Amino acid sequence: MESPDPRNLVPPGRTAHFSTFVAAVLVAAVLVSADGLVSFASTLPDLPAAFWTMAVLAVACDARPFLPPGRGQSSSAVFPSTCFTFAILLGWGLGPAVAVQAVAVVVSGIRMRHAPWRTAFNAGQYACSLAAAYAMTRLGPGEVYDGAALGWTDIAAIGGAGVAWFAVNYGLVTAAVRLRFGERWWPNAWHGLPFELLSTGSLLLLAPVLVTAARASAALVPLVLVPLFAVYRMARLTVEQHQLASLDPLTGLPNRKALLAEVNEQVHRHAERAARGESETRLALLLIDLDRFKNVNDALGHAVGDRLLVEVSARLTDVVAPPQMVARLGGDEFAIVMTGLTDVGEARALADQVVRALAEPVPLDGLPLDVGGSIGIALYPEHGEDFATLMRHADVAMYDAKHRNDTVAVYTAESDHNSAERLGLLADLRRVLEVGASGRADGSAPADAPTVRGGDGAVLPASAPLEESTGTRWWGRRRRRPRVVHHDDELIARIITGADPTLRRAARAVESDDAPAGGTAWSGVGAGAQPELGHGGADPTTLTDDDHPGAESGTDAGEIMMYYQPQVAIATGDVVGVEALLRWRHPRRGMVDPEELIRVAEQSAVMRLLTRRVVDDVVEQLAKWSAAGLGLRAAVNVSVRDLHTGEIADQIADRLARYGVAPERLQLEITEGALMADPRRVLTTITRLHRIGVGIALDDFGTGYSSLQHLRRLPLSEVKVDRSFVLGMVEDADDAAIVRSTIELAKALGLRVVAEGVEDERTWRMLHAAGCDAAQGWFYARPMPAEELVAWLARYRPLRPLGGHDEAEVPRRHAR
């Protein structure tokens, strides 16, 4: 049994109001056209051949109305009878026009299978429109065509009649749609207005020409079919252009613009239903990203990739049935809009169907191509109430699915690493880096710059005593006390000073005149000396500088600084180097967690700015230490993004040469994860750095992939045992065995071994027993700013292990 046409149905709950409106239109049509129809019956035998020609053409043309492709057949069809009936109205009055229009409407209704109520409503709507137009013509001095020539008043009357016809007709149709479907009145009316003006307006403007031609000869009337066809073509081209703007040219699916319009419309409808208290339904946005599409493009070319996208779009349309929408966003991204959901399980079920459809190989030129997909799901209203939010959350869920090696994921706030807070943090980081590097954005020094410059940018005398270096910061200006506020009103000055802890400390320092300039109280002696204050012995709030970057511009983004943690040779107790650790004191958040800082930066171009800043300042600090008679090696961590190009090698070579620092004084630490991202390009960059003379250390050894292969292929000088193993080696026999095995393997390959996370004496002694070369951790010292490191070195006394390697107690392996 054939299902009824949905265009002939009225949604439940709207029948009463809509039926009342239809009845009112029909009653108005009968009232305004009754007199004209009665007079038409009496004058029927006297009507000329031109009238009958127009009547026949009106009915015949409406038997096959012009239906522009891709638009609804109800509101957007072009009915040529409009031209003929309006011409009849101008030439022979309201009665003949209403009669001919009614016959044409009945014929077109039968042809398009309209319900009786729709046909009746269309006839009534046209009768009211013609009556409004006829009233406008009667406002003139008499009949429009009662003389041989038309005057300006006649032209004005014809124009007013056309405007009245269009306004009444379009208004009645829009009101009917609003009452029938509950759609927004003004947006929908405005959206369809251009098309209706072009098509219906052109037909109305042809009517006066047609009447004039009919007055001359009835044989001229059929010639109007040519301009009528031109009107049809214009309407068709207009719709096609509108379609092209909303369709993807490759697959023929709706594009991002169409998806935006659909989601906004569905969101509004869901909100309206919720406001009316109807059963709660949800809207789901599914974002699909093909997993191996780039491999196809790279290996077989973009032409094959395009054919693959067409095949994928066909599979998606086979799985997703109307009224759900499938759209292509660009590249290998697709989206699906689902409406009327009751729970997320329905969206997951459709996503699973899509995954199964995409899992089947796609045969192209005899080659089966495997292309899977990752799908992220965001629901309205739980995950967003507008297109932008739903789209972003679906994107987050899709990448969450990729990272978990899953196929489908629903958005959760925990997986959203790109929140507005993080974006703000990224913007602040970019600002502090750009402001801090404004004096050397191009990496060049002034023409009169000396060979060696201090961390504050000033000339560093080669004979500078060691103690003087403790008063400068590695990257900024000389460390000074914050300026004390002086105000004419003493009360205001006290309020300002009391509200700012930095100014409060500065005021106390001025009063006592004996406050330390960054010195720290220390406890303990020898290798176990620990600062009384956390994280390097310095209270982070004492690092405030009243003229730090950004203070002048009013856009304070905090300070980027480097802390240094000593690396100590276990056997001798000598300090052999330091690891440079990045720190950021944010004006609102305080000290930003280093892991969060790197996580925010490494997915954007800011990471390159950050690495450039770190390398510049660490090499400067090495030059400063060298001039002060302090020979330390500094290790710097670099990210995957830094190793994908040769830029970092060029930068390091330039900085080493400019500051006169020996290449072996600098060491770069890379992780195994960075190696796995793109081994070929990373190996090329590492090889260049090795040829320069820069040391390469493999950081976090044992936590990545293919460790033995990396040790064999890479030009390494050092291996760093990850702190996760070192911290547990005293209590866990497995961790101890891993550390010992790593040390033995590295020794066999001629590599130095550095252990991270040494925090107690027992771990220190076990590492010595295992033959580890060096260690770093809180057992020796916490990370500290450069000036405090120099002070620490002045107090440090090497601590050497006593006895042989067999003195350490090794934990027994637990039985399993």
Side-chain angles (χ1 to χ4, degrees):
M1 180 178 178
E2 185 179 0
S3 59
D5 190 340
R7 297 171 300 168
N8 292 325
L9 302 177
V10 179
R14 299 189 177 276
T15 305
H17 292 85
F18 181 71
S19 299
T20 302
F21 176 74
V22 171
V25 171
L26 293 177
V27 170
V30 171
L31 293 177
V32 299
S33 61
D35 291 341
L37 290 174
V38 171
S39 60
F40 167 66
S42 61
T43 59
L44 190 61
D46 301 328
L47 291 175
F51 165 79
W52 294 109
T53 304
M54 290 185 191
V56 171
L57 289 176
V59 175
C61 289
D62 270 15
R64 295 191 63 86
F66 299 142
L67 302 175
R71 299 180 66 94
Q73 295 183 3
S74 57
S75 61
S76 300
V78 180
F79 296 96
S81 62
T82 300
C83 174
F84 297 105
T85 56
F86 191 63
I88 292 173
L89 172 75
L90 297 177
W92 294 280
L94 177 62
V98 171
V100 173
Q101 186 68 75
V103 175
V105 167
V106 171
V107 172
S108 63
I110 296 173
R111 173 69 176 80
M112 301 177 68
R113 299 182 180 180
H114 287 171
W117 67 263
R118 288 191 65 187
T119 302
F121 173 76
N122 289 340
Q125 127 201 355
Y126 282 120
C128 292
S129 303
L130 289 169
Y134 183 71
M136 291 299 297
T137 62
R138 303 299 294 176
L139 294 178
E143 295 290 342
V144 176
Y145 285 94
D146 58 356
L150 296 178
W152 288 109
T153 55
D154 297 324
I155 299 299
I158 293 174
V163 172
W165 189 102
F166 184 85
V168 172
N169 186 276
Y170 196 66
L172 291 176
V173 171
T174 304
V177 172
R178 173 69 178 87
L179 290 173
R180 184 182 173 197
F181 298 109
E183 297 180 349
R184 291 168 289 176
W185 177 80
W186 177 246
N188 287 331
W190 180 258
H191 177 72
L193 187 59
F195 175 80
E196 298 296 339
L197 279 175
L198 178 64
S199 57
T200 307
S202 300
L203 294 174
L204 294 175
L205 290 176
L206 277 175
V209 179
L210 181 59
V211 176
T212 304
R215 293 274 177 165
S217 173
L220 296 177
V221 173
L223 296 180
V224 79
L225 294 177
V226 176
L228 280 180
F229 180 75
V231 172
Y232 161 71
R233 288 298 302 169
M234 284 192 300
R236 185 183 183 93
L237 290 175
T238 300
V239 174
E240 288 178 349
Q241 289 177 356
H242 177 76
Q243 282 185 308
L244 290 176
S246 301
L247 291 180
D248 173 57
L250 177 64
T251 62
L253 294 176
N255 59 13
R256 182 182 291 269
K257 178 181 177 181
L259 179 69
L260 169 62
E262 176 69 11
V263 171
N264 287 340
E265 181 64 25
Q266 293 297 337
V267 164
H268 174 78
R269 291 183 178 180
H270 279 70
E272 280 190 336
R273 284 194 288 268
R276 291 193 299 267
E278 298 180 8
S279 59
E280 183 179 356
T281 58
R282 292 176 173 84
L283 165 73
L285 178 62
L286 285 68
L287 189 62
I288 307 167
D289 184 82
L290 303 184
D291 289 338
R292 290 172 289 276
F293 180 73
K294 184 178 182 299
N295 297 339
V296 175
N297 265 349
D298 293 344
L300 304 178
H302 289 274
V304 175
D306 289 347
R307 292 169 57 194
L308 178 60
L309 290 175
V310 172
E311 176 62 27
V312 168
S313 66
R315 293 190 178 188
L316 292 178
T317 52
D318 289 341
V319 173
V320 181
Q324 324 297 0
M325 170 188 276
V326 182
R328 182 189 175 214
L329 304 180
D332 58 345
E333 283 192 337
F334 296 83
I336 298 174
V337 180
M338 295 187 65
T339 59
L341 305 180
T342 57
D343 57 46
V344 69
E346 297 178 46
R348 274 190 168 276
L350 178 62
D352 291 337
Q353 294 181 34
V354 171
V355 168
R356 288 193 294 269
L358 297 180
E360 293 294 327
V362 179
L364 291 178
D365 298 333
L367 180 65
L369 301 178
D370 290 316
V371 179
S374 300
I375 304 177
I377 302 175
L379 295 179
Y380 168 89
E382 290 91 333
H383 304 147
E385 297 184 353
D386 57 76
F387 173 78
T389 305
L390 289 171
M391 191 70 185
R392 189 177 73 82
H393 288 169
D395 191 62
V396 169
M398 183 267 292
Y399 278 105
D400 184 38
K402 282 184 178 293
H403 292 158
R404 294 190 288 105
N405 291 324
D406 202 352
T407 54
V408 180
V410 180
Y411 172 79
T412 57
E414 294 77 14
S415 61
D416 192 353
H417 303 303
N418 296 312
S419 61
E421 181 181 2
R422 286 200 172 183
L423 293 177
L425 197 64
L426 182 63
D428 288 343
L429 179 58
R430 177 184 288 275
R431 185 162 62 250
V432 73
L433 290 173
E434 291 176 346
V435 172
S438 59
R440 53 180 180 181
D442 59 352
S444 61
D448 57 349
T451 302
V452 176
R453 298 176 64 84
D456 56 0
V459 178
L460 181 67
S463 59
L466 185 63
E467 290 75 16
E468 291 186 7
S469 64
T470 64
T472 59
R473 189 168 298 172
W474 74 273
W475 64 271
R477 303 166 179 81
R478 286 190 62 85
R479 184 171 171 185
R480 63 182 74 169
R481 293 181 185 133
R483 288 191 290 268
V484 180
V485 173
H486 298 285
H487 198 277
D488 295 339
D489 190 323
E490 181 180 355
L491 178 60
I492 294 179
R494 291 174 60 187
I495 292 174
I496 296 176
T497 302
D500 190 333
T502 303
L503 297 178
R504 198 163 57 242
R505 285 192 301 271
R508 288 198 300 267
V510 170
E511 292 173 1
S512 62
D513 201 29
D514 59 353
T520 306
W522 294 75
S523 64
V525 294
Q530 296 289 338
E532 290 181 346
L533 299 175
H535 213 68
D539 181 358
T541 58
T542 65
L543 299 175
T544 303
D545 195 342
D546 63 330
D547 57 350
H548 58 75
E552 296 83 353
S553 63
T555 56
D556 183 12
E559 292 178 314
I560 289 289
M561 61 192 75
M562 297 301 298
Y563 277 37
Y564 297 90
Q565 186 172 36
Q567 294 178 339
V568 179
I570 296 179
T572 63
D574 296 332
V575 178
V576 295
V578 294
E579 181 179 1
L581 302 171
L582 189 64
R583 296 292 183 266
W584 180 18
R585 185 185 61 80
H586 194 273
R588 296 182 303 277
R589 302 182 49 167
M591 297 297 285
V592 178
D593 180 66
E595 291 187 4
E596 182 178 7
L597 189 156
I598 299 300
R599 194 162 50 240
V600 167
E602 65 181 354
Q603 299 299 327
S604 70
V606 174
M607 191 67 213
R608 297 175 65 183
L609 293 176
L610 190 60
T611 301
R612 176 180 290 272
R613 173 73 173 272
V614 169
V615 170
D616 284 355
D617 291 330
V618 169
V619 174
E620 265 190 302
Q621 189 62 58
L622 288 174
K624 176 182 173 180
W625 284 336
S626 294
L630 186 63
L632 289 175
R633 183 185 73 241
V636 177
N637 291 276
V638 292
S639 71
V640 182
R641 186 182 291 269
D642 301 320
L643 299 174
H644 277 181
T645 67
E647 179 181 346
I648 188 172
D650 297 333
Q651 179 195 1
I652 289 176
D654 175 75
R655 299 308 185 269
L656 292 175
R658 176 176 301 160
Y659 292 105
V661 175
E664 57 270 15
R665 295 279 305 283
L666 183 67
Q667 179 170 280
L668 298 186
E669 297 184 358
I670 62 175
T671 63
E672 294 184 66
L675 296 174
M676 292 301 296
D678 194 337
R680 184 175 302 177
R681 286 200 292 180
V682 170
L683 181 60
T684 301
T685 302
I686 291 176
T687 303
R688 287 187 59 193
L689 291 167
H690 176 70
R691 291 172 181 169
I692 294 172
V694 176
I696 304 297
L698 187 60
D699 198 9
D700 300 336
F701 182 76
T703 61
Y705 315 91
S706 307
S707 302
L708 297 180
Q709 181 181 7
H710 293 159
L711 291 177
R712 178 175 58 86
R713 295 177 54 192
L714 297 176
L716 300 175
S717 59
E718 183 178 287
V719 169
K720 299 191 72 174
V721 184
D722 186 68
R723 62 183 293 110
S724 61
F725 301 123
V726 176
L727 287 173
M729 65 182 300
V730 172
E731 303 295 336
D732 193 319
D734 290 340
D735 286 345
I738 291 174
V739 173
R740 288 196 305 271
S741 301
T742 301
I743 293 173
E744 293 173 0
L745 177 62
K747 289 289 187 181
L749 296 174
L751 303 176
R752 293 192 305 271
V753 184
V754 177
E756 298 179 303
V758 181
E759 298 187 0
D760 55 69
E761 183 178 352
R762 290 187 63 191
T763 303
W764 170 60
R765 292 189 179 279
M766 289 183 64
L767 290 171
H768 176 255
C772 185
D773 295 299
Q776 67 183 79
W778 285 17
F779 176 71
Y780 293 106
R782 305 183 185 189
M784 64 193 80
E787 64 272 17
E788 295 183 10
L789 175 68
V790 177
W792 180 85
L793 288 172
R795 293 188 295 271
Y796 174 73
R797 298 295 180 268
L799 182 63
R800 299 176 178 85
L802 299 177
H805 284 184
D806 56 350
E807 64 183 23
E809 179 183 353
V810 179
R812 293 179 177 272
R813 184 180 179 89
H814 299 293
R816 300 196 181 206

